[in-house]
Amino acid sequence: MPKFYNFKIAGYFLYFTSMCIVECFHAHASDSRLTETGSAKFFVKENGDTVVQNKGALNDRDLLKIQKFIKDHYKEMYLLWQQHDGGEFYRGN
């Protein structure tokens, strides 16, 4: 699973899977196992704001840190996601 970065944010890696590219742009946050079990899922809006679909095992403090990080880096994250055949920010689901 591709990671957006090789470092952790608030103790979690941000990543996506090959199946993620059929949905609108989003990121998962997980510990080193990179599994969806216990991971959070953030749908990213065109302005970098996020909608949390699944909080996973994250506490509110870590959730806010990750949301701020995504807001500050969403453009470069989107470019990486798009290199893996991702589509536009939003697709009809």
Side-chain angles (χ1 to χ4, degrees):
M1 286 177 253
K3 295 178 196 170
F4 286 105
Y5 301 97
N6 288 324
F7 55 86
K8 292 181 177 182
I9 297 88
Y12 297 88
F13 285 111
L14 297 180
Y15 73 96
F16 59 97
T17 69
S18 60
M19 294 177 286
C20 288
I21 60 176
V22 299
E23 294 182 293
C24 60
F25 176 48
H26 66 278
H28 296 273
S30 182
D31 60 13
S32 59
R33 292 180 297 240
L34 298 181
T35 63
E36 290 197 40
T37 302
S39 72
K41 187 173 184 178
F42 301 84
F43 282 97
V44 184
K45 296 182 179 185
E46 290 181 281
N47 66 357
D49 289 343
T50 56
V51 175
V52 179
Q53 182 187 34
N54 183 7
K55 184 177 174 180
L58 275 72
N59 61 41
D60 290 340
R61 189 174 132 232
D62 291 342
L63 196 71
L64 290 173
K65 284 182 183 178
I66 291 171
Q67 285 181 296
K68 182 180 179 342
F69 183 89
I70 291 173
K71 175 77 172 181
D72 292 343
H73 298 91
Y74 75 97
K75 289 180 183 178
E76 63 193 48
M77 291 172 67
Y78 175 69
L79 292 175
L80 179 62
W81 178 80
Q82 200 173 40
Q83 288 174 6
H84 286 270
D85 292 327
E88 299 301 320
F89 265 88
Y90 298 100
R91 288 186 176 180
N93 290 340

